[in-house]
Amino acid sequence: MSQIPRHYHITTFGCQMNKADSEQMAGVLEKMGFQWSEDPNQADLILYNTCTIRDNAEQKVYSYLGKQAKRKQKNPDLTLVLAGCVAQQEGERLLQRIPELDLVMGPQHVGRLEDLLEDVFSGNQVLATESRYITENITQPRRESTVSAWVNVIYGCNERCTYCVVPNVRGIEQSRTPLAIKQEIENLAAQGYKEITLLGQNIDAYGRDLPGSTENGRNLYNFTDLLYFLHDVPGIERFRFATSHPRYFTERLINSCAQLDKICKYFHIPFQSGNNEILKAMGRGYTIERYREIIEKIRTYMPDAAISADVIVGFPGESEQHFQDSLELVEEIGFDQLNSAAYSPRPGTPAAQWENQLSLETKSDRLQRINHLINAKAAQGSQLRVGKIEKILVEQINPKDPNQVMGRSDGNRLTFFNGNIDELKGKIVPVKIIYARPFSLTGILV
Ligand code: SAH
Ligand code: SF4
Ligand code: F3S
């Protein structure tokens, strides 16, 4: 066996699922005896956990990787790993394009990192992208925060939105068992964690793939049941979850979120477009009337709930009028946070083949216009919080001001206030809001 490198660095791109995967892989590396290096240029093993949701995300990966591939030409002991969604999408082609890579591994192989690296250290170039049943990983992840933790509940996605690479790169839905999820959360509580964010691409589809969980097409054990099952774990004070698909967001789920007091009144429900023709072309499986109905129900049960979403502008065939419908929805609902993106044609997706693509100018013009509105609406939403008392779970010191601590409100707004981190870390405290920015707040401890 060749000499085992000692320091590692991970760079993570993409969504929370990738961040959670990176924490898992960091845990495996530390168990193998590696130590974290803040500077990638000092590391003996570099891992890129990649995202391919849009073309610019994918291109970013190649530019990072190019630099380290050059370094490897001078330093052959450097180990280069490419993980995540670009790895899954490009597979073999990556090894040809960048022969310096030692390991290319898809997201379903995260739990196998140690085995795969052993193969690398015995002299092989390794490709791991075949689809795989994900088993429970018993290695402790190395988590970024000591207060708030991510917990996967469902991997993959069974939808077929016509623009999206996720089903191709993350595979079919695989729900973890309720017991495995609960055990992980109990362990986190024992370590002092206070807040859990449950993760899935399509979290409200949870459970339908579990054996014996459906009868005559009806889901016998679903996400709402899971919330009841997890809610009372002692020590955990808050739960969040993402991402919700409007197709599966039931009134029962809304009702239980209102009743269960540890569930934060914050919902991330992407709408993608405000127009039914576009929604249909996207293959989303709901109408905008249905979406409005969900938001109305949430606000009826939980008047103070914060709502966030994702939207795509410039989808193939989107007319100015279709786009106006998206603007109108933003104007009407006034999201607390809204991730906007210009449509990017992706390999292996139906919409990328269509002829009715819009020009880059139109897409970027619409993106600018919607961003302008998003900021204005978020600023209004923040302003409404001024004078109110928000419950803040304190996470860490404000990196820009050591006299301040920072944390999140129930509605997920980043909030800063003067205080001592040693006394406050991990506590939920009342803070009176005195100043608002579009996406963050400043207050004073009550
Ligand atoms: N499962 C979630 C979202 C996953 S991807 C859902 O269904 O809502 C995160 C976001 O990236 C999507 O909500 C969408 O807004 C955006 N996105 C996905 N594919 C895209 C593409 N080809 N071009 C632009 N944005 C895209
Ligand atoms: Fe992509 Fe649609 Fe699945 Fe979300 S639900 S991950 S947008 S295919
Ligand atoms: Fe990107 Fe993969 Fe997440 S493509 S958004 S990292 S599922």
Side-chain angles (χ1 to χ4, degrees):
M1 203 201 243
S2 69
Q3 195 192 353
I4 295 184
R6 306 256 338 278
H7 285 87
Y8 75 99
H9 184 90
I10 298 183
T11 304
T12 307
F13 305 89
C15 64
Q16 289 172 322
M17 261 139 288
N18 256 18
K19 291 184 183 135
D21 287 348
S22 287
E23 294 186 345
Q24 291 277 353
M25 293 190 283
V28 172
L29 291 170
E30 299 210 343
K31 188 179 140 239
M32 292 175 74
F34 285 90
Q35 288 162 12
W36 170 255
S37 160
E38 193 58 42
D39 178 2
N41 294 315
Q42 300 295 321
D44 312 281
L45 183 150
I46 296 182
L47 188 154
Y48 292 106
N49 195 9
T50 61
C51 173
T52 180
I53 201 79
R54 286 178 285 276
D55 187 56
N56 52 8
E58 184 179 348
Q59 297 315 321
K60 215 180 331 177
V61 173
Y62 298 126
S63 94
Y64 276 60
L65 201 54
K67 286 183 205 127
Q68 294 301 336
K70 281 218 183 79
R71 207 181 122 214
K72 178 155 176 152
Q73 289 162 4
K74 288 187 215 120
N75 171 10
D77 283 340
L78 176 66
T79 302
L80 280 184
V81 180
L82 199 89
C85 296
V86 174
Q88 185 65 37
Q89 178 184 283
E90 296 301 311
E92 185 90 52
R93 281 194 295 275
L94 269 166
L95 292 178
Q96 283 158 8
R97 178 167 173 179
I98 308 162
E100 289 82 2
L101 280 171
D102 294 289
L103 168 60
V104 171
M105 56 181 283
Q108 295 183 342
H109 294 261
V110 162
R112 293 183 61 216
L113 181 61
E114 183 167 4
D115 288 351
L116 297 171
L117 280 176
E118 265 158 24
D119 206 359
V120 167
F121 296 141
S122 56
N124 296 317
Q125 194 183 34
V126 181
L127 176 70
T129 51
E130 68 281 10
S131 71
R132 173 173 178 268
Y133 181 70
I134 302 171
T135 45
E136 285 299 325
N137 183 359
I138 44 168
T139 311
Q140 290 279 348
R142 174 194 191 263
R143 298 187 191 261
E144 283 281 315
S145 160
T146 52
V147 175
S148 177
W150 289 310
V151 172
N152 274 311
V153 306
I154 177 170
Y155 304 100
C157 175
N158 285 8
E159 301 300 304
R160 285 277 154 200
C161 303
T162 51
Y163 50 82
C164 184
V165 289
V166 171
N168 298 343
V169 292
R170 291 257 161 186
I172 55 163
E173 286 170 7
Q174 297 188 34
S175 298
R176 292 176 70 197
T177 66
L179 260 181
I181 299 166
K182 192 175 204 167
Q183 270 162 9
E184 180 172 355
I185 295 175
E186 284 168 347
N187 280 336
L188 289 164
Q191 292 167 50
Y193 283 88
K194 302 289 180 224
E195 181 182 81
I196 301 293
T197 302
L198 305 171
L199 291 183
Q201 274 303 351
N202 198 356
I203 201 161
D204 35 3
Y206 175 81
R208 58 181 177 171
D209 60 306
L210 289 173
S213 72
T214 45
E215 193 179 85
N216 304 325
R218 204 176 76 87
N219 197 348
L220 295 178
Y221 192 92
N222 60 29
F223 185 60
T224 308
D225 302 309
L226 182 71
L227 288 181
Y228 278 103
F229 182 65
L230 302 176
H231 186 264
D232 292 332
V233 171
I236 301 300
E237 297 185 38
R238 278 181 172 179
F239 285 93
R240 302 182 186 279
F241 57 87
T243 300
S244 305
H245 194 298
R247 187 182 234 166
Y248 305 100
F249 211 89
T250 60
E251 183 157 5
R252 181 166 170 254
L253 176 58
I254 298 172
N255 188 16
S256 57
C257 290
Q259 304 215 325
L260 296 169
D261 38 288
K262 291 184 188 174
I263 310 272
C264 289
K265 308 314 176 222
Y266 165 73
F267 304 96
H268 182 67
I269 320 176
F271 63 91
Q272 312 298 9
S273 165
N275 177 274
N276 282 337
E277 271 170 61
I278 298 297
L279 284 174
K280 192 155 187 217
M282 287 175 162
R284 290 288 290 175
Y286 54 86
T287 60
I288 207 63
E289 290 74 24
R290 166 82 186 117
Y291 186 84
R292 283 197 166 90
E293 203 180 285
I294 293 171
I295 306 300
E296 268 166 36
K297 287 234 167 79
I298 291 176
R299 289 184 168 162
T300 310
Y301 283 92
M302 297 163 274
D304 222 20
I307 315 260
S308 68
D310 302 346
V311 58
I312 298 174
V313 302
F315 189 73
E318 185 189 71
S319 67
E320 176 62 26
Q321 187 52 50
H322 296 147
F323 171 64
Q324 289 291 336
D325 290 344
S326 293
L327 290 178
E328 205 174 290
L329 191 80
V330 177
E331 181 64 52
E332 179 191 314
I333 293 180
F335 295 91
D336 293 87
Q337 182 118 33
L338 183 55
N339 309 316
S340 56
Y343 168 72
S344 167
R346 304 307 293 131
T349 61
Q353 307 292 322
W354 299 345
E355 274 164 18
N356 51 353
Q357 306 289 329
L358 304 192
S359 69
L360 282 176
E361 293 74 41
T362 306
K363 290 196 273 191
S364 73
D365 170 63
R366 288 185 188 167
L367 188 59
Q368 274 181 31
R369 281 153 69 199
I370 204 160
N371 284 346
H372 192 72
L373 180 62
I374 292 169
N375 286 335
K377 298 306 281 188
Q380 280 174 19
S382 273
Q383 204 58 46
L384 289 176
R385 309 271 158 182
V386 174
K388 294 217 166 112
I389 297 195
E390 298 277 349
K391 288 192 185 136
I392 308 300
L393 172 59
V394 179
E395 288 175 41
Q396 60 174 84
I397 216 160
N398 176 358
K400 290 189 192 142
D401 179 351
N403 295 319
Q404 286 194 334
V405 297
M406 61 189 250
R408 285 179 187 273
S409 67
D410 193 275
N412 209 30
R413 265 195 170 71
L414 206 53
T415 305
F416 305 96
F417 60 97
N418 287 338
N420 179 340
I421 191 68
D422 298 325
E423 282 165 25
L424 294 169
K425 190 167 185 168
K427 294 207 173 106
I428 295 182
V429 291
V431 172
K432 184 166 183 186
I433 304 306
I434 52 169
Y435 184 73
R437 287 164 298 274
F439 302 103
S440 64
L441 304 167
T442 298
I444 37 177
L445 188 61
V446 182

mmCIF file of all heavy atoms in Angstrom, residues 209-239:
data_model
loop_
_atom_site.group_PDB
_atom_site.id
_atom_site.type_symbol
_atom_site.label_atom_id
_atom_site.label_comp_id
_atom_site.label_asym_id
_atom_site.label_seq_id
_atom_site.Cartn_x
_atom_site.Cartn_y
_atom_site.Cartn_z
ATOM 1 N N ASP A 209 -41.963 4.469 -0.573
ATOM 2 C CA ASP A 209 -41.175 3.344 -1.066
ATOM 3 C C ASP A 209 -40.863 2.332 0.040
ATOM 4 O O ASP A 209 -40.242 1.311 -0.217
ATOM 5 C CB ASP A 209 -39.862 3.855 -1.651
ATOM 6 C CG ASP A 209 -39.039 4.601 -0.607
ATOM 7 O OD1 ASP A 209 -39.594 5.553 -0.003
ATOM 8 O OD2 ASP A 209 -37.879 4.238 -0.375
ATOM 9 N N LEU A 210 -41.265 2.626 1.279
ATOM 10 C CA LEU A 210 -40.957 1.685 2.362
ATOM 11 C C LEU A 210 -41.822 0.430 2.198
ATOM 12 O O LEU A 210 -42.986 0.534 1.808
ATOM 13 C CB LEU A 210 -41.225 2.327 3.735
ATOM 14 C CG LEU A 210 -40.244 3.422 4.156
ATOM 15 C CD1 LEU A 210 -40.722 4.089 5.445
ATOM 16 C CD2 LEU A 210 -38.838 2.874 4.330
ATOM 17 N N PRO A 211 -41.271 -0.738 2.506
ATOM 18 C CA PRO A 211 -42.049 -1.959 2.303
ATOM 19 C C PRO A 211 -43.355 -1.926 3.101
ATOM 20 O O PRO A 211 -43.359 -1.523 4.271
ATOM 21 C CB PRO A 211 -41.127 -3.071 2.832
ATOM 22 C CG PRO A 211 -39.838 -2.447 3.186
ATOM 23 C CD PRO A 211 -39.924 -0.977 3.038
ATOM 24 N N GLY A 212 -44.427 -2.309 2.454
ATOM 25 C CA GLY A 212 -45.728 -2.373 3.130
ATOM 26 C C GLY A 212 -46.322 -1.021 3.446
ATOM 27 O O GLY A 212 -47.250 -0.916 4.241
ATOM 28 N N SER A 213 -45.801 0.046 2.828
ATOM 29 C CA SER A 213 -46.289 1.366 3.241
ATOM 30 C C SER A 213 -47.440 1.879 2.380
ATOM 31 O O SER A 213 -47.993 2.922 2.682
ATOM 32 C CB SER A 213 -45.149 2.371 3.231
ATOM 33 O OG SER A 213 -44.814 2.649 1.899
ATOM 34 N N THR A 214 -47.752 1.186 1.279
ATOM 35 C CA THR A 214 -48.888 1.656 0.481
ATOM 36 C C THR A 214 -49.936 0.562 0.329
ATOM 37 O O THR A 214 -49.622 -0.629 0.330
ATOM 38 C CB THR A 214 -48.453 2.115 -0.936
ATOM 39 O OG1 THR A 214 -47.561 1.138 -1.457
ATOM 40 C CG2 THR A 214 -47.791 3.459 -0.915
ATOM 41 N N GLU A 215 -51.181 1.016 0.244
ATOM 42 C CA GLU A 215 -52.273 0.075 0.068
ATOM 43 C C GLU A 215 -53.253 0.743 -0.881
ATOM 44 O O GLU A 215 -53.660 1.877 -0.638
ATOM 45 C CB GLU A 215 -52.936 -0.164 1.421
ATOM 46 C CG GLU A 215 -53.876 -1.347 1.460
ATOM 47 C CD GLU A 215 -54.446 -1.494 2.873
ATOM 48 O OE1 GLU A 215 -55.445 -0.836 3.185
ATOM 49 O OE2 GLU A 215 -53.858 -2.255 3.657
ATOM 50 N N ASN A 216 -53.599 0.079 -1.962
ATOM 51 C CA ASN A 216 -54.461 0.670 -2.995
ATOM 52 C C ASN A 216 -53.997 2.078 -3.376
ATOM 53 O O ASN A 216 -54.802 2.997 -3.498
ATOM 54 C CB ASN A 216 -55.923 0.740 -2.514
ATOM 55 C CG ASN A 216 -56.437 -0.626 -2.104
ATOM 56 O OD1 ASN A 216 -56.060 -1.632 -2.706
ATOM 57 N ND2 ASN A 216 -57.269 -0.653 -1.075
ATOM 58 N N GLY A 217 -52.702 2.235 -3.511
ATOM 59 C CA GLY A 217 -52.165 3.529 -3.917
ATOM 60 C C GLY A 217 -52.110 4.562 -2.798
ATOM 61 O O GLY A 217 -51.606 5.657 -2.974
ATOM 62 N N ARG A 218 -52.647 4.249 -1.623
ATOM 63 C CA ARG A 218 -52.636 5.214 -0.525
ATOM 64 C C ARG A 218 -51.392 4.961 0.341
ATOM 65 O O ARG A 218 -51.022 3.824 0.613
ATOM 66 C CB ARG A 218 -53.891 5.051 0.330
ATOM 67 C CG ARG A 218 -54.281 6.298 1.115
ATOM 68 C CD ARG A 218 -55.602 6.069 1.848
ATOM 69 N NE ARG A 218 -55.414 5.235 3.029
ATOM 70 C CZ ARG A 218 -55.086 5.720 4.221
ATOM 71 N NH1 ARG A 218 -54.932 7.002 4.386
ATOM 72 N NH2 ARG A 218 -54.939 4.919 5.253
ATOM 73 N N ASN A 219 -50.769 6.072 0.748
ATOM 74 C CA ASN A 219 -49.554 5.968 1.541
ATOM 75 C C ASN A 219 -49.921 5.787 3.020
ATOM 76 O O ASN A 219 -50.497 6.670 3.631
ATOM 77 C CB ASN A 219 -48.752 7.260 1.339
ATOM 78 C CG ASN A 219 -47.314 7.111 1.768
ATOM 79 O OD1 ASN A 219 -46.970 6.126 2.409
ATOM 80 N ND2 ASN A 219 -46.495 8.069 1.429
ATOM 81 N N LEU A 220 -49.596 4.628 3.579
ATOM 82 C CA LEU A 220 -50.007 4.345 4.959
ATOM 83 C C LEU A 220 -49.092 4.986 5.998
ATOM 84 O O LEU A 220 -49.470 5.198 7.128
ATOM 85 C CB LEU A 220 -50.029 2.835 5.204
ATOM 86 C CG LEU A 220 -51.048 2.031 4.408
ATOM 87 C CD1 LEU A 220 -50.912 0.562 4.736
ATOM 88 C CD2 LEU A 220 -52.462 2.501 4.717
ATOM 89 N N TYR A 221 -47.854 5.208 5.616
ATOM 90 C CA TYR A 221 -46.941 5.860 6.549
ATOM 91 C C TYR A 221 -46.260 6.980 5.794
ATOM 92 O O TYR A 221 -45.425 6.750 4.934
ATOM 93 C CB TYR A 221 -45.901 4.874 7.094
ATOM 94 C CG TYR A 221 -45.159 5.460 8.266
ATOM 95 C CD1 TYR A 221 -45.604 5.263 9.575
ATOM 96 C CD2 TYR A 221 -44.043 6.263 8.077
ATOM 97 C CE1 TYR A 221 -44.946 5.841 10.649
ATOM 98 C CE2 TYR A 221 -43.380 6.839 9.146
ATOM 99 C CZ TYR A 221 -43.838 6.611 10.429
ATOM 100 O OH TYR A 221 -43.191 7.186 11.498
ATOM 101 N N ASN A 222 -46.654 8.219 6.061
ATOM 102 C CA ASN A 222 -46.136 9.317 5.250
ATOM 103 C C ASN A 222 -45.364 10.322 6.100
ATOM 104 O O ASN A 222 -45.096 10.088 7.276
ATOM 105 C CB ASN A 222 -47.269 9.977 4.468
ATOM 106 C CG ASN A 222 -48.326 10.539 5.390
ATOM 107 O OD1 ASN A 222 -48.046 10.928 6.515
ATOM 108 N ND2 ASN A 222 -49.558 10.571 4.914
ATOM 109 N N PHE A 223 -45.012 11.439 5.484
ATOM 110 C CA PHE A 223 -44.157 12.415 6.150
ATOM 111 C C PHE A 223 -44.807 12.982 7.419
ATOM 112 O O PHE A 223 -44.126 13.218 8.422
ATOM 113 C CB PHE A 223 -43.790 13.527 5.164
ATOM 114 C CG PHE A 223 -42.814 14.507 5.739
ATOM 115 C CD1 PHE A 223 -41.570 14.078 6.174
ATOM 116 C CD2 PHE A 223 -43.134 15.844 5.870
ATOM 117 C CE1 PHE A 223 -40.657 14.971 6.726
ATOM 118 C CE2 PHE A 223 -42.237 16.749 6.420
ATOM 119 C CZ PHE A 223 -40.997 16.303 6.845
ATOM 120 N N THR A 224 -46.119 13.182 7.380
ATOM 121 C CA THR A 224 -46.804 13.698 8.569
ATOM 122 C C THR A 224 -46.644 12.721 9.737
ATOM 123 O O THR A 224 -46.351 13.127 10.868
ATOM 124 C CB THR A 224 -48.302 13.921 8.263
ATOM 125 O OG1 THR A 224 -48.408 14.708 7.078
ATOM 126 C CG2 THR A 224 -49.005 14.631 9.400
ATOM 127 N N ASP A 225 -46.814 11.430 9.461
ATOM 128 C CA ASP A 225 -46.624 10.429 10.517
ATOM 129 C C ASP A 225 -45.208 10.491 11.066
ATOM 130 O O ASP A 225 -44.982 10.379 12.272
ATOM 131 C CB ASP A 225 -46.898 9.019 9.972
ATOM 132 C CG ASP A 225 -48.300 8.898 9.402
ATOM 133 O OD1 ASP A 225 -49.245 9.282 10.107
ATOM 134 O OD2 ASP A 225 -48.441 8.453 8.251
ATOM 135 N N LEU A 226 -44.268 10.664 10.169
ATOM 136 C CA LEU A 226 -42.873 10.732 10.602
ATOM 137 C C LEU A 226 -42.664 11.910 11.554
ATOM 138 O O LEU A 226 -41.992 11.777 12.582
ATOM 139 C CB LEU A 226 -41.941 10.863 9.384
ATOM 140 C CG LEU A 226 -40.453 10.888 9.730
ATOM 141 C CD1 LEU A 226 -39.969 9.512 10.196
ATOM 142 C CD2 LEU A 226 -39.614 11.357 8.535
ATOM 143 N N LEU A 227 -43.265 13.069 11.236
ATOM 144 C CA LEU A 227 -43.109 14.233 12.111
ATOM 145 C C LEU A 227 -43.625 13.939 13.513
ATOM 146 O O LEU A 227 -42.978 14.275 14.508
ATOM 147 C CB LEU A 227 -43.839 15.451 11.527
ATOM 148 C CG LEU A 227 -43.211 16.104 10.297
ATOM 149 C CD1 LEU A 227 -44.031 17.309 9.868
ATOM 150 C CD2 LEU A 227 -41.769 16.512 10.574
ATOM 151 N N TYR A 228 -44.796 13.296 13.596
ATOM 152 C CA TYR A 228 -45.321 12.932 14.922
ATOM 153 C C TYR A 228 -44.372 11.992 15.641
ATOM 154 O O TYR A 228 -44.135 12.102 16.843
ATOM 155 C CB TYR A 228 -46.711 12.285 14.795
ATOM 156 C CG TYR A 228 -47.817 13.312 14.661
ATOM 157 C CD1 TYR A 228 -48.403 13.586 13.428
ATOM 158 C CD2 TYR A 228 -48.272 14.014 15.784
ATOM 159 C CE1 TYR A 228 -49.407 14.527 13.299
ATOM 160 C CE2 TYR A 228 -49.279 14.970 15.668
ATOM 161 C CZ TYR A 228 -49.847 15.220 14.415
ATOM 162 O OH TYR A 228 -50.825 16.159 14.310
ATOM 163 N N PHE A 229 -43.805 11.060 14.884
ATOM 164 C CA PHE A 229 -42.916 10.061 15.477
ATOM 165 C C PHE A 229 -41.630 10.688 16.033
ATOM 166 O O PHE A 229 -41.102 10.254 17.048
ATOM 167 C CB PHE A 229 -42.595 9.005 14.412
ATOM 168 C CG PHE A 229 -41.727 7.883 14.890
ATOM 169 C CD1 PHE A 229 -42.178 6.993 15.873
ATOM 170 C CD2 PHE A 229 -40.462 7.681 14.355
ATOM 171 C CE1 PHE A 229 -41.371 5.948 16.311
ATOM 172 C CE2 PHE A 229 -39.660 6.643 14.777
ATOM 173 C CZ PHE A 229 -40.115 5.769 15.764
ATOM 174 N N LEU A 230 -41.137 11.740 15.373
ATOM 175 C CA LEU A 230 -39.849 12.322 15.773
ATOM 176 C C LEU A 230 -39.997 13.462 16.781
ATOM 177 O O LEU A 230 -39.051 13.788 17.507
ATOM 178 C CB LEU A 230 -39.128 12.889 14.537
ATOM 179 C CG LEU A 230 -38.835 11.909 13.401
ATOM 180 C CD1 LEU A 230 -38.208 12.653 12.220
ATOM 181 C CD2 LEU A 230 -37.909 10.788 13.871
ATOM 182 N N HIS A 231 -41.179 14.042 16.824
ATOM 183 C CA HIS A 231 -41.356 15.320 17.496
ATOM 184 C C HIS A 231 -40.900 15.344 18.952
ATOM 185 O O HIS A 231 -40.324 16.329 19.410
ATOM 186 C CB HIS A 231 -42.834 15.736 17.405
ATOM 187 C CG HIS A 231 -43.098 17.093 17.947
ATOM 188 N ND1 HIS A 231 -43.538 17.316 19.230
ATOM 189 C CD2 HIS A 231 -42.961 18.328 17.390
ATOM 190 C CE1 HIS A 231 -43.678 18.617 19.421
ATOM 191 N NE2 HIS A 231 -43.338 19.239 18.325
ATOM 192 N N ASP A 232 -41.134 14.262 19.681
ATOM 193 C CA ASP A 232 -40.907 14.332 21.126
ATOM 194 C C ASP A 232 -39.516 13.923 21.578
ATOM 195 O O ASP A 232 -39.293 13.773 22.780
ATOM 196 C CB ASP A 232 -41.972 13.510 21.862
ATOM 197 C CG ASP A 232 -43.343 14.178 21.714
ATOM 198 O OD1 ASP A 232 -43.367 15.415 21.549
ATOM 199 O OD2 ASP A 232 -44.356 13.463 21.722
ATOM 200 N N VAL A 233 -38.574 13.774 20.667
ATOM 201 C CA VAL A 233 -37.216 13.424 21.103
ATOM 202 C C VAL A 233 -36.730 14.498 22.088
ATOM 203 O O VAL A 233 -36.651 15.679 21.740
ATOM 204 C CB VAL A 233 -36.246 13.325 19.901
ATOM 205 C CG1 VAL A 233 -34.805 13.175 20.385
ATOM 206 C CG2 VAL A 233 -36.628 12.164 18.995
ATOM 207 N N PRO A 234 -36.442 14.099 23.341
ATOM 208 C CA PRO A 234 -36.070 15.100 24.341
ATOM 209 C C PRO A 234 -34.769 15.809 23.968
ATOM 210 O O PRO A 234 -33.856 15.177 23.446
ATOM 211 C CB PRO A 234 -35.863 14.277 25.630
ATOM 212 C CG PRO A 234 -36.428 12.928 25.353
ATOM 213 C CD PRO A 234 -36.423 12.730 23.881
ATOM 214 N N GLY A 235 -34.711 17.079 24.251
ATOM 215 C CA GLY A 235 -33.487 17.842 23.982
ATOM 216 C C GLY A 235 -33.560 18.608 22.671
ATOM 217 O O GLY A 235 -32.999 19.695 22.539
ATOM 218 N N ILE A 236 -34.254 18.045 21.686
ATOM 219 C CA ILE A 236 -34.395 18.762 20.413
ATOM 220 C C ILE A 236 -35.530 19.779 20.571
ATOM 221 O O ILE A 236 -36.623 19.434 21.013
ATOM 222 C CB ILE A 236 -34.715 17.793 19.245
ATOM 223 C CG1 ILE A 236 -33.605 16.748 19.095
ATOM 224 C CG2 ILE A 236 -34.939 18.575 17.946
ATOM 225 C CD1 ILE A 236 -32.232 17.290 18.797
ATOM 226 N N GLU A 237 -35.215 21.038 20.226
ATOM 227 C CA GLU A 237 -36.223 22.070 20.448
ATOM 228 C C GLU A 237 -36.881 22.560 19.181
ATOM 229 O O GLU A 237 -37.937 23.180 19.224
ATOM 230 C CB GLU A 237 -35.583 23.238 21.207
ATOM 231 C CG GLU A 237 -35.119 22.760 22.582
ATOM 232 C CD GLU A 237 -34.576 23.878 23.440
ATOM 233 O OE1 GLU A 237 -35.128 24.984 23.386
ATOM 234 O OE2 GLU A 237 -33.587 23.621 24.156
ATOM 235 N N ARG A 238 -36.217 22.315 18.056
ATOM 236 C CA ARG A 238 -36.782 22.777 16.785
ATOM 237 C C ARG A 238 -36.573 21.767 15.681
ATOM 238 O O ARG A 238 -35.502 21.156 15.593
ATOM 239 C CB ARG A 238 -36.058 24.034 16.316
ATOM 240 C CG ARG A 238 -36.516 25.303 16.942
ATOM 241 C CD ARG A 238 -35.694 26.415 16.329
ATOM 242 N NE ARG A 238 -36.198 27.705 16.737
ATOM 243 C CZ ARG A 238 -35.664 28.848 16.360
ATOM 244 N NH1 ARG A 238 -34.598 28.859 15.575
ATOM 245 N NH2 ARG A 238 -36.183 29.986 16.760
ATOM 246 N N PHE A 239 -37.585 21.659 14.830
ATOM 247 C CA PHE A 239 -37.451 20.902 13.588
ATOM 248 C C PHE A 239 -37.764 21.815 12.417
ATOM 249 O O PHE A 239 -38.698 22.623 12.480
ATOM 250 C CB PHE A 239 -38.458 19.741 13.547
ATOM 251 C CG PHE A 239 -38.092 18.585 14.430
ATOM 252 C CD1 PHE A 239 -38.573 18.507 15.730
ATOM 253 C CD2 PHE A 239 -37.277 17.565 13.955
ATOM 254 C CE1 PHE A 239 -38.241 17.440 16.550
ATOM 255 C CE2 PHE A 239 -36.945 16.486 14.767
ATOM 256 C CZ PHE A 239 -37.427 16.422 16.069
#
